[in-house]
């Protein structure tokens, strides 16, 4: 059974509302998934919600709700958000799913049996807001903790620890030998710098049930629940396990809780993940803790952790208190989904931080979507309608070499997941086609019957270029790609890159009347 290309987003903590950063991560992951489908690869795209932990419990209690009911309502908000973004995800995992909880317990039982855990007293500082223990290294020069940690309290309690330090040298060697494991390369250097210059501390993987009841109980100590990060990271492997992936079940099946049975599905092979798309702020969890957890479980490591940057607005950090935010749902409602998808992928390469400006958004919409792509499709189909009654003339290959070069370069960018570079190259082709209209002036040739054959040649080159553009943009702007196909009178979706070969439009084919793809905005 061939393994599917398996790509994930981070799962979103339900104790909050979706924002631009969440939308960006989901859109770029969706584009990557659609690219691999367009290449003909069986693909699986996972997103979901992280629903356990102290913040969820505290908020639910404060609102007089049962944590489960509180999570059910918020999970629907996040699922609706995924639909609003037009995601092509194949599943949506919730960490409150009973089978996910059973697989987490199997992992805990296996690691405990192997001697990977030990119990020890802890005395130190704890941030409830970030659900993490702090040390003196986390203090600022004046001795205080960063306000981002919220209230920091001193804790004295016993907890269970995962022996991580024993794996430190192995992980350094793995990252050195697999340079693609963390991307971009400067994020890999950050991880290696951290591992080479610090002794990796053992990870506290429990919380006393007396303090936190909303979590997955430790199977070997009923007085404790699992640390939310240990539970959350497992989602990437638990979903394949829940669906019967034998790689996961072979590693964990014997330790599943009594009464839990998952049928193996030899036809479904997902693990290991090909790419985890995450924000740079959770790099340590994914590039240090997660690979060590997987090694202890006996599971292969993901092929890549791809870390993206953060968005600012107008050069300032986004903040609800100051009102300096971008509501992606409002932007989509106002400008359309594909305009939003285009801006975030075109404006920000995967890796560095980006800056949203409303003026920049409006400018890209007007210049690149309305006057660029929209104008090309509209002019080409309108001229075919006016001069040839929407009937495609005989094939002509004047633009074929240039278009072929562009297609090859776009596909190379797509293979490297250089999404911004791919869009830049697609728009260079759009600009070339618009320039071709200006240079050949078909509207002048139409007045001279002696130029009928030349006019046919130009019209074929234009509509065939439009057809190929529909294929190239489909992973990025799926609705726009479909609408171009509809206006060209082509059935089906432009969802396979093999369709980008020159000559797909047959002479005599009839196109539809053009309608504006991106109406101009005042």
């Amino acid at each position: 059974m061939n393994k599917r290309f398996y790509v994930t987003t981070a799962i979103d903590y339900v104790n909050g509302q979706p924002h631009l950063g969440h939308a960006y991560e989901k859109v770029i992951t969706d584009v990557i998934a659609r690219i691999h489908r367009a290449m003909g690869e069986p693909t699986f795209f996972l997103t979901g919600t992280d629903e356990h932990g102290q913040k969820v419990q505290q908020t639910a209690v404060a609102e007089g709700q049962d944590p489960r009911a509180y999570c059910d309502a918020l999970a629907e908000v996040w699922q609706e958000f995924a639909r609003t973004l037009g995601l092509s995800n194949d599943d949506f995992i919730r960490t409150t799913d009973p089978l996910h909880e059973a697989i987490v317990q199997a992992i805990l039982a296996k690691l405990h049996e192997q001697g990977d855990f030990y119990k020890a007293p802890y005395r130190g500082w704890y941030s409830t807001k970030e659900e993490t223990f702090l040390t003196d290294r986390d203090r600022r020069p004046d001795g205080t903790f960063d306000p981002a940690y919220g209230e920091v309290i001193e804790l004295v309690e016993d907890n269970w620890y995962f022996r991580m330090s024993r794996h430190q040298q192995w992980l350094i060697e793995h990252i050195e030998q697999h340079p693609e494991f963390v991307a971009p390369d400067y994020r890999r250097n950050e991880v290696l710098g951290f591992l080479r210059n610090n002794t990796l501390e053992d990870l506290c993987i429990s919380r006393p049930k007396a303090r936190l009841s909303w979590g997955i109980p430790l199977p070997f100590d009923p007085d404790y629940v699992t640390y939310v990060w240990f539970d959350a990271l497992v989602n990437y492997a638990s979903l394949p396990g829940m669906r019967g992936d034998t790689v996961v079940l072979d590693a964990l099946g014997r330790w599943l809780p009594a009464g839990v049975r998952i049928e193996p599905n030899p036809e479904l092979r997902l693990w290991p993940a090909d790419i985890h798309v995450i924000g740079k702020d959770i790099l340590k969890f994914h590039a240090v803790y997660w690979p060590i957890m997987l090694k202890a479980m006996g599971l292969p490591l993901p092929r890549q952790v791809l870390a993206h940057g953060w968005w600012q607005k107008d050069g300032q950090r986004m903040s609800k208190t100051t009102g300096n935010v971008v509501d992606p749902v409002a932007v989509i409602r106002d400008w359309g989904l594909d305009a939003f998808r285009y801006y975030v992928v075109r404006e920000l390469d995967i890796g560095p931080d980006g800056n949203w400006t409303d003026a920049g958004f409006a400018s890209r919409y007007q210049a690149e979507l309305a006057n660029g792509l929209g104008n090309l499709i509209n002019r080409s189909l309108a001229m075919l309608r006016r001069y040839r009654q929407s009937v495609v003339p005989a094939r002509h290959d004047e633009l074929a070499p240039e278009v072929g070069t562009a297609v090859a370069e776009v596909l190379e960018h797509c293979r490297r997941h250089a999404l911004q570079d791919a869009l830049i190259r697609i728009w260079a082709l759009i600009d070339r086609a618009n320039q071709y209209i200006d240079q050949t002036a078909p509207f002048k040739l139409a007045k001279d019957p002696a130029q009928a054959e030349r006019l046919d040649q130009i019209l074929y080159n234009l509509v065939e270029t439009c057809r190929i553009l529909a294929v190239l943009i489909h992973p990025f702007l799926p609705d726009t790609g479909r609408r171009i196909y509809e206006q060209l009178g082509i059935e089906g979706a432009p969802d396979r890159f093999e369709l980008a070969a020159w000559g797909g439009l047959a002479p005599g084919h009839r196109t539809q009347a053009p309608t504006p793809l991106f109406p101009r905005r005042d």
Side-chain angles (χ1 to χ4, degrees):
M1 174 61 194
N2 286 342
K3 184 192 170 302
R4 296 192 199 183
F5 178 83
Y6 176 34
V7 61
T8 72
T9 68
I11 54 173
D12 298 305
Y13 204 47
V14 292
N15 198 36
Q17 290 297 312
H19 58 61
L20 178 62
H22 298 120
Y24 174 68
E25 178 171 300
K26 285 170 171 43
V27 167
I28 58 175
T29 309
D30 182 66
V31 173
I32 290 170
R34 289 177 187 272
I35 281 170
H36 283 266
R37 294 191 193 105
M39 288 174 171
E41 288 183 57
T43 297
F44 196 97
F45 166 23
L46 179 67
T47 189
T49 44
D50 174 12
E51 302 184 15
H52 290 121
Q54 196 153 1
K55 282 184 281 190
V56 171
Q57 177 176 297
Q58 286 176 338
T59 309
V61 168
E63 294 185 9
Q65 289 192 56
D66 170 71
R68 176 77 209 200
Y70 174 78
C71 287
D72 287 347
L74 278 174
E76 178 50 41
V77 169
W78 287 92
Q79 286 172 310
E80 179 58 31
F81 186 55
R83 290 189 286 270
T84 299
L85 294 170
L87 301 189
S88 60
N89 55 300
D90 296 278
D91 210 334
F92 187 100
I93 189 168
R94 298 179 56 191
T95 56
T96 48
D97 186 297
L99 280 181
H100 167 79
E101 295 184 354
I103 288 172
V104 171
Q105 289 195 306
I107 292 165
L108 291 164
K110 180 177 183 177
L111 269 55
H112 182 251
E113 190 178 300
Q114 291 175 176
D116 285 302
F117 298 151
Y118 64 91
K119 197 174 188 179
Y122 174 85
R123 183 187 188 101
W125 303 99
Y126 183 75
S127 159
T128 304
K129 179 170 175 281
E130 294 302 316
E131 300 197 31
T132 189
F133 292 103
L134 303 171
T135 68
D136 286 334
R137 280 209 309 255
D138 297 304
R139 291 183 187 275
R140 298 192 293 189
D142 65 358
T144 63
F145 291 103
D146 191 299
Y149 289 118
E151 183 189 10
V152 176
I153 57 173
E154 189 172 19
L155 276 181
V156 182
E157 64 185 24
D158 283 348
N159 264 310
W160 286 90
Y161 290 84
F162 176 26
R163 302 180 198 272
M164 297 201 102
S165 50
R166 58 165 73 166
H167 299 288
Q168 185 161 357
Q169 188 55 38
W170 159 80
L171 182 56
I172 291 171
E173 290 168 7
H174 179 83
I175 297 171
E176 289 173 340
Q177 291 163 15
H178 301 84
E180 73 289 349
F181 178 62
V182 180
D185 54 3
Y186 49 88
R187 297 290 175 220
R188 179 180 71 248
N189 293 338
E190 273 178 34
V191 175
L192 282 172
F194 169 77
L195 287 168
R196 288 170 180 154
N197 298 315
N198 298 279
T199 301
L200 197 55
E201 294 176 358
D202 291 344
L203 179 68
C204 178
I205 58 101
S206 69
R207 298 293 184 262
K209 205 176 266 185
R211 179 159 66 80
L212 172 65
S213 58
W214 184 239
I216 299 174
L218 297 189
F220 49 84
D221 192 337
D223 293 333
Y224 291 84
V225 298
T226 316
Y227 171 44
V228 67
W229 265 106
F230 196 97
D231 159 14
L233 286 165
V234 169
N235 93 87
Y236 306 123
S238 69
L239 190 283
M242 289 157 65
R243 282 175 163 249
D245 187 323
T246 54
V247 173
V248 177
L249 293 184
D250 288 350
L252 304 175
R254 177 165 80 77
W255 288 273
L256 284 169
V260 175
R261 170 98 181 109
I262 300 174
E263 283 298 321
N265 179 3
E267 295 300 304
L268 182 77
R269 173 82 197 284
L270 294 178
W271 196 260
D274 290 272
I275 306 182
H276 294 317
V277 181
I278 61 155
K280 65 178 185 177
D281 53 320
I282 52 175
L283 182 60
K284 183 169 75 171
F285 293 97
H286 286 80
V288 178
Y289 298 167
W290 181 225
I292 289 175
M293 287 164 62
L294 286 165
K295 181 158 193 297
M297 291 175 212
L299 280 172
L301 269 55
R303 302 215 161 94
Q304 185 172 82
V305 175
L306 181 59
H308 63 79
W310 288 352
W311 282 89
Q312 294 183 321
K313 181 165 192 286
D314 302 324
Q316 305 285 321
R317 184 174 176 174
M318 291 201 200
S319 162
K320 278 186 184 170
T321 49
T322 61
N324 188 50
V325 292
V326 174
D327 177 359
V329 176
V331 175
I332 290 165
R333 200 182 301 123
D334 191 16
W335 293 84
L337 172 57
D338 278 4
F340 174 81
R341 287 176 62 111
Y342 177 75
Y343 182 77
V344 294
V345 180
R346 176 62 183 82
E347 186 70 21
L348 180 54
D349 195 14
I350 302 175
D353 290 344
N355 184 44
W356 176 294
T357 68
D358 294 340
F361 182 97
S363 173
R364 284 205 187 279
Y365 179 94
Q366 198 71 9
E368 293 160 33
L369 294 175
N371 296 341
L373 175 62
N375 192 34
L376 172 66
I377 305 298
N378 202 284
R379 287 205 287 174
S380 301
L381 288 176
M383 287 189 292
L384 186 68
R385 186 176 181 80
R386 187 178 313 129
Y387 307 137
R388 295 296 181 263
Q389 292 74 53
S390 296
V391 176
V392 174
R395 172 171 167 167
H396 190 264
D397 298 347
E398 185 173 9
L399 287 180
E402 286 180 74
V403 172
T405 298
V407 169
E409 290 175 4
V410 169
L411 296 196
E412 181 52 35
H413 292 317
C414 285
R415 274 189 277 274
R416 294 188 297 105
H417 306 129
L419 309 186
Q420 186 188 56
D421 289 345
L423 279 184
I424 290 169
R425 187 62 186 91
I426 292 168
W427 254 257
L429 178 58
I430 292 167
D431 291 343
R432 171 67 185 106
N434 274 316
Q435 185 186 56
Y436 179 74
I437 295 175
D438 297 338
Q439 289 169 342
T440 58
F443 34 86
K444 291 181 181 172
L445 298 178
K447 297 171 184 172
D448 182 357
Q451 296 289 342
E453 184 181 353
R454 178 59 182 149
L455 180 59
D456 281 347
Q457 294 171 355
I458 294 164
L459 291 174
Y460 184 88
N461 278 277
L462 284 172
V463 291
E464 177 62 357
T465 300
C466 291
R467 186 191 68 78
I468 289 171
L469 282 166
V471 176
L472 296 180
I473 66 168
H474 185 267
F476 303 87
L477 313 180
D479 186 53
T480 302
R482 280 191 296 270
R483 288 170 65 202
I484 294 172
Y485 249 39
E486 284 170 9
Q487 294 188 28
L488 287 166
I490 303 173
E491 291 184 3
D495 57 1
R496 290 287 181 274
F497 283 143
E498 64 191 25
L499 297 169
W502 185 267
L505 272 179
H509 174 82
R510 188 175 291 277
T511 63
Q512 303 296 312
T515 55
L517 293 170
F518 297 97
R520 287 189 173 86
R521 303 279 294 248
D522 294 327

